[in-house]
C-alpha cells in the first residue's frame, strides 16, 4: 500500500542507516576555513545539492522507478571518482540495506543484498527502499536531496558550535532548491540510465581523499 508517511520514516535522521557519522565533506571544509558561519554553510550545501546531490537523487529516483539496480550501481561507481567516497557510499548502502530489509522486506532488496554483499551504493539502495515502501521516484529523490544538505548542516552544528536554529534556517531557505533538484532527478530517471546526471564536485573528491587519511577526525567522511 502506498503511503507518503513512509517518506517521513525514511528521511528521519533517527532511521538507523548510519548517516549521522558522516559530514558530507563539511569536516574538511570547516578545517580549511571554507565554512565559518551560516552563510558559508548555505553556500556549501547549495553547491553540494546541485552537483553530487543531483547525481545521487537521480540514481535513487531511477531505482525507485524500477530500473536495474545492478546497472545503477555500476553507474554510481562511474560517477564517483574518489575511492574514499566509493567506499563510504557502499558502507552506507550496506547499513541502509540492513535497516530497510527489517522495515520494508522485499524480494528486490534481498536480491540486491545477495548480489552486492559488501554493499551497493547508498542512493541505489535508498531508491529500492523507497520502492519497497510504496514511494515513487520523486519521493526517493526528495529524500536524497534532503540528506545531501541536512548531513552537512547537522555536522557543522557540532564542528563549529553553530546555533542549531541558524542551521535549520539554512535548510528551510534551501527547500525551493530541494524541490527543483528532486523534480529534475525524477525527470531524468524516466529517460533511462543514459540520461542520468553525472554532475560532480572535484573539491569534495580531493578533500575526501585527504580526510580519509586523517589520524584523528570527528566524522567518518
Amino acid at each position: 500500500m502506498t503511503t507518503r508517511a513512509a517518506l517521513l520514516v525514511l528521511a528521519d535522521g533517527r532511521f538507523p542507516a548510519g548517516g549521522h557519522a558522516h559530514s558530507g565533506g563539511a569536516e574538511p571544509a570547516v578545517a580549511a576555513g571554507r565554512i565559518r558561519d551560516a552563510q558559508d554553510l548555505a553556500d556549501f550545501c547549495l553547491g553540494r545539492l546541485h552537483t553530487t546531490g543531483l547525481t545521487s537523487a537521480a540514481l535513487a529516483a531511477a531505482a525507485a522507478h524500477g530500473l536495474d539496480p545492478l546497472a545503477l550501481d555500476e553507474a554510481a561507481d562511474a560517477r564517483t571518482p574518489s575511492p574514499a567516497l566509493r567506499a563510504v557510499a557502499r558502507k552506507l548502502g550496506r547499513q541502509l540495506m540492513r535497516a530497510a530489509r527489517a522495515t520494508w522486506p522485499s524480494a528486490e532488496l534481498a536480491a540486491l543484498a545477495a548480489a552486492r554483499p559488501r554493499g551497493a551504493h547508498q542512493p541505489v539502495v535508498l531508491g529500492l527502499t523507497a520502492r519497497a515502501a510504496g514511494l515513487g521516484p520523486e519521493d526517493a529523490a526528495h529524500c536524497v536531496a534532503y540528506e545531501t544538505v541536512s548531513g552537512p548542516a547537522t555536522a557543522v552544528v557540532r564542528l563549529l558550535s553553530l546555533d542549531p536554529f541558524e542551521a535549520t534556517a539554512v535548510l528551510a531557505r534551501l527547500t525551493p532548491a530541494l524541490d527543483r533538484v528532486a523534480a529534475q532527478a525524477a525527470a531524468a530517471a524516466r529517460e533511462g540510465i543514459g540520461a542520468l546526471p553525472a554532475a560532480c564536485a572535484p573539491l569534495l573528491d580531493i578533500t575526501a581523499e585527504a580526510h580519509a587519511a586523517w589520524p584523528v577526525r570527528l566524522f567518518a567522511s
Side-chain angles (χ1 to χ4, degrees), residues 22 28 36 55 66 75 88-89 127 156 168 188 210:
H22 298 264
R36 296 161 297 178
T55 299
V88 166
V156 169
T168 302

Side-chain angles (χ1 to χ4, degrees), residues 123-195:
V124 178
V125 179
L126 191 146
L128 213 58
T129 302
R131 184 174 170 86
L135 298 169
E138 195 155 345
D139 294 319
H142 265 106
C143 188
V144 170
Y146 178 68
E147 284 185 351
T148 296
V149 297
S150 63
T154 301
V156 169
V157 168
R158 296 171 63 185
L159 291 162
L160 286 180
S161 297
L162 183 70
D163 186 335
F165 296 119
E166 288 190 72
T168 302
V170 166
L171 296 179
R173 289 193 294 270
L174 287 173
T175 52
L178 292 174
D179 288 342
R180 289 192 294 271
V181 165
Q184 184 180 350
R190 290 191 288 271
E191 299 299 318
I193 293 178

